[in-house]
Amino acid sequence: MLGASSWRHGPQQEASGASPALIVGDQRGGVQALLKASGELDHMPYTIEWAMFPAAAPLLEALNSGAVDVGGLGCQPFAFAYAGGAKIKVVQAGFQHPSPTRGRSSAIIVAGTSPLRSFADLKGKRLATIRGSAGQDLALRLLEREHLQPGDIHWVYLNNAEAKAALASGAVDAWSTWSAYVGYALLRDHERSLADATALPPQPVFFAASDKAIAGKHTQIADFLQRLSRARHWLAGHKDAYAAVLARETGLPGDVARFTVEDLSSDPVQVDDRLAAEELAILKRYKATGIIDKIPDLTGAFDGSFPIRS
């Protein structure tokens, strides 16, 4: 099922024999805004239909069902979906640029008046997050660092909107989330970051495509990924311009959009089985927590047929 909104970009009339539309899944308009701001949506030779999602989980469901051809997500929800049998592959990967603030937008959020002062204080407390998400994996990595066990936290599985409300009401003690949700919590809701990913090793970000789309729309996907790669290079020197478009396209406040953009600069890397090591570590954490029953064979999870070009 598609997200709350979708729209077309490109030729409005497809001539007979023209390339079919590429359906791209996006979260909070981030990729669409980036391509628009960088000029990569100008003079499209095919139509893009955008589908907006509040998080990676419903985007992955749409990918697996064939409702969406390709979409951007973190390595953590990809691992969770692949372990569940989703017929998808990673077609582009990137690592965030090093910076003093890298990882700040992946955080454990608590109320401004919360008595919790360190991540270790979460022992025995209620933590809201999405099952199998980047938020849950952040908490699992922080548990490892503090030599705590997954069972030391009471996991409360809620979507981001529900978790935000639960934190505000006191129904949960903390919320593990990412991106604009963190920015809004810190800058607008006067909440605090109890811990974040700034001291953790960086993880890749992915673009994934369905097996069906790779087989039937390889040319369009290849072109789209080249545009995305160029836009990511452009972003490094144009964060304010991108933040302005992101705010306009999504309705985010300007300061929240700028906060979000800080962690989005990334360098593309060639997709190959070397990425499996990172995914395997995530899957081991998920299995230890009981999120998945078994670790899948990752041999078919990565498609290297879309080379990197600037």
Side-chain angles (χ1 to χ4, degrees):
M1 181 177 181
L2 294 185
S5 63
S6 61
W7 62 91
R8 296 166 69 89
H9 191 104
Q12 295 302 301
Q13 300 294 325
E14 296 181 39
S16 177
S19 298
L22 185 68
I23 306 173
V24 180
D26 197 7
Q27 297 183 56
R28 294 188 72 89
V31 171
Q32 193 263 353
L34 174 59
L35 292 173
K36 184 172 184 177
S38 64
E40 290 294 339
L41 289 182
D42 298 339
H43 311 297
M44 293 292 298
Y46 53 89
T47 296
I48 293 178
E49 296 183 0
W50 296 91
M52 296 294 114
F53 296 89
L59 192 162
L60 282 159
E61 290 176 9
L63 272 173
N64 190 43
S65 71
V68 164
D69 297 321
V70 63
L73 57 149
C75 58
Q76 310 89 348
F78 176 86
F80 182 61
Y82 197 81
K87 303 299 182 184
I88 56 177
K89 289 181 172 62
V90 175
V91 292
Q92 189 177 87
F95 279 91
Q96 291 175 330
H97 292 160
S99 78
T101 60
R102 184 201 55 77
R104 185 179 60 163
S105 66
S106 183
I108 310 291
I109 300 298
V110 295
T113 57
S114 172
L116 305 181
R117 293 295 163 184
S118 71
F119 182 80
D121 292 339
L122 271 179
K123 187 173 182 178
K125 303 299 183 181
R126 299 156 299 177
L127 177 66
T129 194
I130 296 175
R131 186 178 179 88
S133 68
Q136 182 159 33
D137 191 55
L138 169 66
L140 291 172
R141 296 172 82 198
L142 291 170
L143 283 167
E144 287 181 353
R145 190 179 68 174
E146 296 293 330
H147 306 290
L148 296 171
Q149 300 301 314
D152 289 332
I153 285 177
H154 295 300
W155 300 96
V156 181
Y157 293 123
L158 301 170
N159 65 39
N160 278 310
E162 294 167 339
K164 180 180 176 68
L167 182 64
S169 71
V172 298
D173 300 292
W175 169 29
S176 189
T177 189
W178 59 89
S179 195
Y181 296 107
V182 173
Y184 211 100
L186 300 181
L187 299 174
R188 293 296 170 126
D189 292 338
H190 307 295
E191 293 165 341
R192 283 192 290 114
S193 175
L194 187 69
D196 59 31
T198 52
L200 297 174
Q203 293 176 299
V205 292
F206 289 159
F207 241 76
S210 69
D211 290 353
K212 180 181 177 182
I214 291 171
K217 299 182 179 181
H218 196 281
T219 299
Q220 294 98 304
I221 294 173
D223 177 81
F224 177 84
L225 294 177
Q226 293 303 321
R227 292 172 186 270
L228 180 58
S229 181
R230 291 193 297 267
R232 282 174 166 167
H233 284 296
W234 172 89
L235 172 59
H238 300 85
K239 290 182 179 179
D240 287 338
Y242 172 40
V245 175
L246 183 63
R248 185 168 65 248
E249 295 291 325
T250 63
L252 287 172
D255 55 346
V256 175
R258 189 63 176 82
F259 177 95
T260 304
V261 166
E262 277 300 322
D263 257 5
L264 293 181
S265 292
S266 62
D267 293 315
V269 297
Q270 185 61 46
V271 171
D272 56 35
D273 286 338
R274 289 175 295 179
L275 294 169
E278 183 66 54
E279 292 299 277
L280 185 60
I282 295 167
L283 290 166
K284 286 180 177 178
R285 287 193 287 271
Y286 285 171
K287 187 174 186 298
T289 314
I291 300 171
I292 60 174
D293 296 326
K294 62 181 181 179
I295 296 175
D297 180 3
L298 293 173
T299 303
F302 306 98
D303 188 322
S305 66
F306 300 92
I308 299 171
R309 300 189 187 93
S310 59

